[in-house]
Every structure is written in structure tokens, then in C-alpha cells.
Amino acid sequence: MTNSENSKELIQQLNEGSHDAFRKIYTFYYRGLVAFSSQYVDFEEAEEVVQEVMLWVWENRNKISYKLSLKSLLFTMVKNRSLNKIAHLDVRRRAYAEIIRESEDLATPDDFVNGSIFKKYQLLLKTMPDTYREAFELNRLKNMTHKEIADYLDVSPQTINYRISQALKFLRGGLKEFLPLLLPLILLLSFI
């Protein structure tokens, strides 16, 4: 596939939907494109970039002009997508840094030791509507199911569902300043 005649012929076959032509293009260019992309991004991302480009080639096979240099088209697309990946990773890194910087101002691990979170939790429980608190405490502290609570309080299970969800919403709103510290704990407890 070194001469332009073969390249033009392959593009024409590709325009017609030839799987064989696509396979030849893929096989011939794949390694070189991955190596080229890995100059910009790590190897796994380079493979992903090349896969995306090859997918684009197949999906747009009838739009590719045989007048174009297939090699130039593929390498230009891989370079652009690799640079886009770098830009996307940079944006993500900056967003994570901003989240960390903002969360440092909200609460500290000392807040756990000093009991600020627990005190705030107790205060929120006291100020919560009685029906929400009762359903919440029966569920969380006495480990009663929604049906058991509904039978005990002589209401429907849907009512208990609603009351507990409202209690959780109330607590989340009141403890949002502590969320950056609580999130790792919540995630850890969800896997146990």
C-alpha cells in the first residue's frame, strides 16, 4: 500500500463498503498510528484514539474522498484526537484540584474528632419533623424494615418510604458542608 494508486483503489473499495478494504487499511496503519499517538498520550489511550479514528473511518467510509492521502488523513486525525485527549485530561485535573481546594475550606478531619458532625447531626434530628425522624430512627437505629415500621405506625409502606427519603434529604442538606469528608466513608461503607 505504499503507492498512491493502491491507496486510491482501497478508498474507492472502502466507499463501496468493502470490509476487506477496511481490514487492509486497519492492519496496515494500526501499529504506526498507535506509536504516533503514544508520543502524546499513554499507550492505552493511544490505542483508544486509534480505535476511535478507525471507527470514524468505517462509519464515514462513503464520505472519504479518494483524492485525499489516506495516510495524511489518518495521522492528522490521530494527532488531533490525541491533543484533544490531553486537553480533556488537563481540564479534569484542574477540576479535581479545584474541588480539593474548595473542600479544604469546608471541614477538616479534626471536625470528626471534635464532634462537630455528630453535634450537627443531633441538632438536625431534633429539628426534623417528628414523623420523618420517627420513621428514620426506627429504620436506622432499630433496623426495622419499611413494612415493619408501616405496620407499627399503622400507615402504608409507601408513606414510610416517603418519610425516610425526606429525612435523608433533610440530613443531606444540613450536612452538605461535611460531604467531602463523609464521601469516602459512605463509599467505603457501601462496599461492606
Side-chain angles (χ1 to χ4, degrees):
M1 192 164 6
T2 52
N3 71 32
S4 62
E5 286 301 312
N6 285 343
S7 179
K8 288 180 183 180
E9 187 178 312
L10 271 176
I11 291 175
Q12 286 176 331
Q13 291 171 4
L14 184 65
N15 290 155
E16 296 164 4
S18 169
H19 290 272
D20 188 48
F22 177 74
R23 186 180 43 75
K24 286 178 183 174
I25 292 167
Y26 186 95
T27 304
F28 185 80
Y29 286 107
Y30 182 79
R31 285 186 183 172
L33 291 171
V34 170
F36 179 69
S37 180
S38 64
Q39 295 176 37
Y40 300 98
V41 295
D42 66 34
F43 185 77
E44 290 81 20
E45 289 173 330
E47 287 183 316
E48 189 178 302
V49 164
V50 174
Q51 293 290 340
E52 289 170 4
V53 167
M54 288 300 183
L55 180 62
W56 184 92
V57 166
W58 177 253
E59 289 175 345
N60 296 281
R61 61 190 172 274
N62 56 347
K63 298 176 187 170
I64 298 173
S65 172
Y66 67 90
K67 295 176 183 174
L68 292 175
S69 162
L70 185 60
K71 181 179 180 180
S72 295
L73 173 70
L74 292 173
F75 277 88
T76 300
M77 288 180 67
V78 165
K79 179 181 179 181
N80 289 340
R81 287 187 186 235
S82 298
L83 293 174
N84 286 344
K85 271 238 193 265
I86 292 170
H88 177 72
L89 291 172
D90 188 46
V91 167
R92 252 189 1 202
R93 250 184 255 114
R94 281 187 277 151
Y96 289 143
E98 182 66 24
I99 289 168
I100 289 169
R101 188 171 39 260
E102 285 178 9
S103 68
E104 288 173 349
D105 297 336
L106 296 177
T108 66
D110 291 339
D111 291 327
F112 282 111
V113 177
N114 296 335
S116 296
I117 293 174
F118 185 71
K119 288 176 188 171
K120 180 79 173 199
Y121 170 76
Q122 292 294 355
L123 178 66
L124 288 169
L125 278 180
K126 287 179 185 174
T127 59
M128 182 184 296
D130 292 339
T131 55
Y132 297 170
R133 183 179 61 251
E134 183 179 28
F136 177 78
E137 288 179 337
L138 288 172
N139 180 253
R140 297 301 200 256
L141 301 177
K142 296 197 177 185
N143 295 321
M144 293 174 71
T145 66
H146 290 208
K147 179 157 177 31
E148 291 170 337
I149 299 168
D151 291 343
Y152 177 74
L153 297 176
D154 197 28
V155 294
S156 73
Q158 290 84 3
T159 301
I160 298 304
N161 233 3
Y162 176 77
R163 289 177 182 177
I164 291 173
S165 70
Q166 289 302 307
L168 290 170
K169 185 177 177 181
F170 188 84
L171 290 171
R172 270 195 307 270
L175 295 171
K176 67 183 172 193
E177 65 188 277
F178 298 102
L179 189 58
L181 290 173
L182 294 174
L183 193 58
L185 179 63
I186 292 167
L187 292 173
L188 177 65
L189 292 175
S190 68
F191 291 110
I192 296 177

